[in-house]
């Protein structure tokens, strides 16, 4: 079912009449392009029959992007890029930037099709799927479910944080001055925190849900 890397010929379309290509019987894909629009159209050649392959190029829609911090409900300003999805796979090259803003949506006109928005929030990134339809406006808004970890220590210094998913995978680590709140934006689920201040280790379990949550940890000399 894979598409061959080598083509069997070109099919340059014309405005006045169809372009004809004689092919052996079998299944094919026509990769058509017009400006920055690209489409792949599967078709089949049967013995003794003429197969007409027609595609409509240039159809676009508008996507409007925004994101918010679940702990405050306020929109955020950060970075984001849009990537096409082809055959279920995310493309390597982005088709435009979509930086969320605090006061307005970021709009992009895109060819119809499926995409993902890779948007940043501090150290964290979310991959948000969406689809553009011809002549339609698609609202792409995502909420970063945040969790705030506060620390209290017997003296000044930094805390080393490690956060593990329920599978045991390390998903985040950071060194931060004790007393300064650590805000993480993780997928919903259950996590384990391991925090170390000098030679003191603290462990705690927490869950990320809709909106936000908070955990307070205190280090005491032993």
């Amino acid at each position: 079912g894979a598409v061959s890397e080598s083509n069997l010929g070109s099919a340059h379309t014309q405005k006045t009449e169809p372009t004809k290509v004689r092919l052996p019987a079998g299944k094919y894909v026509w990769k058509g392009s017009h400006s920055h629009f690209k489409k792949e159209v599967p078709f089949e050649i049967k013995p003794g029959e003429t197969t007409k392959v027609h595609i409509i190029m240039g159809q676009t829609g508008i996507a409007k992007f925004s994101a918010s911090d679940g702990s405050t409900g306020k929109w955020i300003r950060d970075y984001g890029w849009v990537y096409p999805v082809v055959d279920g796979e995310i493309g390597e090259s982005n088709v435009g930037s979509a930086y969320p803003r605090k006061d307005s949506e970021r709009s992009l006109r895109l060819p119809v099709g499926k995409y993902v928005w890779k948007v940043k929030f501090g150290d964290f990134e979310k991959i948000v799927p969406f689809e553009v339809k011809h002549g339609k406006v698609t609202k792409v808004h995502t909420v970063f479910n945040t969790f705030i970890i506060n620390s209290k220590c017997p003296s000044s210094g930094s805390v080393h944080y490690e956060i593990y998913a329920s599978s045991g995978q390390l998903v985040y680590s950071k060194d931060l001055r004790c007393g300064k709140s650590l805000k993480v934006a993780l997928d919903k689920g259950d996590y384990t925190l391991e925090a170390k201040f000098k030679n003191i280790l603290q462990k705690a379990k927490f869950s990320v849900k809709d909106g936000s949550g908070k955990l307070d940890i205190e280090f005491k000399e032993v």
Side-chain angles (χ1 to χ4, degrees):
V3 179
S4 172
E5 295 182 0
S6 301
N7 69 72
L8 296 180
S10 60
H12 300 307
T13 58
Q14 302 177 39
K15 294 181 178 180
T16 56
E17 60 183 16
T19 298
K20 296 180 180 179
V21 178
R22 184 174 293 275
L23 296 168
K27 294 183 178 181
Y28 299 88
V29 171
W30 178 28
K31 295 184 177 182
S33 64
H34 172 64
S35 185
H36 61 286
F37 298 95
K38 295 181 180 181
K39 278 192 175 182
E40 295 186 6
V41 184
F43 65 97
E44 184 175 0
I45 299 293
K46 296 181 180 180
E49 296 184 9
T50 298
T51 300
K52 292 184 178 181
V53 184
H54 181 79
I55 60 176
I56 299 175
M57 303 295 291
Q59 291 183 318
T60 65
I62 293 176
K64 292 188 174 183
F65 302 88
S66 58
S68 59
D69 178 348
S71 65
T72 63
K74 295 180 179 179
W75 284 17
I76 63 170
R77 179 184 181 90
D78 223 303
Y79 300 94
W81 297 268
V82 174
Y83 293 80
V85 175
V86 181
D87 295 331
E89 299 290 333
I90 299 174
E92 295 182 359
S93 301
N94 70 74
V95 294
S97 61
Y99 299 163
R101 300 173 180 174
K102 293 182 178 181
D103 59 351
S104 61
E105 295 168 309
R106 173 75 167 105
S107 297
L108 284 180
R109 180 174 291 276
L110 297 166
V112 297
K114 294 183 178 181
Y115 299 87
V116 296
W117 182 34
K118 293 185 178 182
V119 59
K120 298 275 289 182
F121 179 59
D123 296 334
F124 301 89
E125 181 182 76
K126 286 186 76 172
I127 297 177
V128 186
F130 67 97
E131 184 173 359
V132 173
K133 297 182 179 180
H134 176 54
K136 304 291 185 180
V137 175
T138 300
K139 297 269 190 175
V140 187
H141 181 84
T142 188
V143 177
F144 283 89
N145 295 307
T146 53
F147 199 92
I148 298 172
I149 301 171
N150 297 313
S151 60
K152 185 178 180 180
C153 302
S155 59
S156 61
S158 294
V159 177
H160 176 70
Y161 296 95
E162 291 186 354
I163 297 175
Y164 294 85
S166 56
S167 64
Q169 178 188 6
L170 176 66
V171 294
Y172 184 68
S173 65
K174 189 178 184 71
D175 291 302
L176 191 66
R177 178 173 53 83
C178 187
K180 187 174 182 180
S181 295
L182 174 66
K183 180 184 285 189
V184 294
L186 302 166
D187 292 333
K188 288 187 288 186
D190 298 322
Y191 297 89
T192 299
L193 169 70
E194 292 188 4
K196 189 172 185 180
F197 175 76
K198 297 181 179 178
N199 63 337
I200 309 170
L201 178 65
Q202 288 275 23
K203 293 185 179 182
K205 294 184 180 296
F206 67 95
S207 298
V208 175
K209 301 177 181 179
D210 288 327
S212 65
K214 186 177 72 170
L215 175 67
D216 297 320
I217 56 173
E218 182 176 0
F219 296 91
K220 297 181 178 180
E221 295 286 3
V222 292

